[in-house]
Amino acid sequence: MTDERLIVALDFHTLDDVQKLVGELGDSVNFYKVGMELFYSVGPGVVEWLKSRDKKIFLDLKLHDIPNTVAGGLCSLMNLGADILNVHASGGFTMMKTAADALHAEAARRGIQCPKLIAITVLTSIGDAEWFGAKKISEQVVEFATLAKDAGLDGVVASPQEARLIRDACGENFLIVTPGVRPAGANIDDQSRIATPAAALHNGATHLVIGRPIRAAQNPRLAAEKILAEMHTA
Ligand code: C5P
């Protein structure tokens, strides 16, 4: 049975590469992340193709603009049928609430299921040395997460290291999607604020986004299966 807590990032720029990896992973992975690189090169067709294969999609386009524009943009994206859409929490409470309200109203008007809407807190690539805020990163993340919840969003994207604080502040029914996850024993490069799959889940993450450790593996299916096994030890 597929474990939908694992979301594999399709950071490619051709549909051929997507089809090859999705084919190799087969039924071991059911949830994929389509981000800027892929969407800007291939366009909406990639989402349609994944849906035709019964895959779930996190469309990670990180909208950030004035409330009206973000709301309109999300309603356009809803046509594609992705399962999760996102915005930047730093766009503010009004932006997030306008976006969530518009998405719910549009889904109700069309009689379709509303995609989940989640907010980016603080990019997980930012570490203490680069951080520009007045508060500690973890405090800012929790503040953004509570703001997102109050605005009617379904969850956040955050570092696995902050998942526990978010879970405590936002309660059980809140999605916590964590990139920056590396298998135990992996060679860590320049990334900050990362954790292993088991630690991320233990901290309260609901979904793990993993890209390069699977895409760059000689045998991606084996790499995914190892990560899934690690997740089950959490
Ligand atoms: O690093 P990896 O290839 O696993 O990244 C998968 C996805 O997670 C990327 O598409 C990126 O958007 C996100 N990511 C992140 N913060 C990191 C590393 C990756 O948000 N520190």
Side-chain angles (χ1 to χ4, degrees):
M1 161 97 185
T2 314
D3 186 338
E4 293 196 343
R5 295 176 303 172
L6 173 63
I7 303 179
V8 173
L10 295 170
D11 293 328
F12 293 120
H13 57 271
T14 71
L15 188 57
D16 281 352
D17 286 333
V18 170
Q19 292 174 332
K20 184 165 177 283
L21 182 70
V22 173
E24 282 170 2
L25 293 176
D27 59 7
S28 64
V29 174
N30 203 38
F31 216 144
Y32 287 95
K33 178 170 95 78
V34 173
M36 301 179 192
E37 178 179 348
L38 181 58
F39 194 80
Y40 294 162
S41 343
V42 174
V46 66
V47 179
E48 284 159 24
W49 183 81
L50 287 165
K51 280 184 69 72
S52 76
R53 295 292 182 282
D54 287 330
K55 300 300 182 188
K56 293 179 87 170
I57 299 135
F58 167 22
L59 188 52
D60 179 29
L61 296 181
K62 298 185 171 69
L63 277 69
H64 192 177
D65 207 317
I66 61 166
N68 193 47
T69 302
V70 168
L74 289 172
C75 288
S76 299
L77 290 176
M78 185 161 59
N79 289 334
L80 302 177
D83 300 275
I84 304 180
L85 301 174
N86 63 355
V87 298
H88 271 284
S90 56
F93 179 82
T94 307
M95 183 265 256
M96 288 193 281
K97 184 161 175 16
T98 308
D101 289 351
L103 214 50
H104 286 122
E106 186 61 13
R109 194 183 68 77
R110 295 193 213 165
I112 57 172
Q113 199 182 350
C114 192
K116 300 287 185 202
L117 182 62
I118 63 178
I120 308 285
T121 54
V122 174
L123 292 174
T124 60
S125 55
I126 295 179
D128 286 329
E130 199 188 346
W131 176 236
F132 45 84
K135 298 175 180 156
K136 276 168 56 183
I137 294 181
S138 57
E139 286 170 5
Q140 185 62 67
V141 166
V142 172
E143 190 176 314
F144 276 151
T146 349
L147 205 63
K149 186 171 186 220
D150 292 346
L153 272 67
D154 303 291
V156 286
V157 179
S159 147
Q161 293 178 2
E162 285 121 24
R164 172 54 50 201
L165 293 171
I166 297 169
R167 179 63 64 219
D168 291 346
C170 297
E172 283 311 308
N173 293 320
F174 199 60
L175 298 178
I176 304 177
V177 177
T178 62
V181 177
R182 289 291 175 267
N187 222 345
I188 306 305
D189 50 17
D190 57 343
Q191 308 287 342
S192 315
R193 294 160 63 219
I194 61 160
T196 63
L201 292 173
H202 182 75
N203 286 349
T206 53
H207 297 82
L208 312 183
V209 176
I210 304 187
R212 284 167 290 182
I214 293 175
R215 287 200 314 274
Q218 269 201 336
N219 183 337
R221 181 159 184 145
L222 196 63
E225 281 168 356
K226 277 191 185 158
I227 287 169
L228 287 162
E230 235 181 286
M231 287 167 63
H232 290 131
T233 65

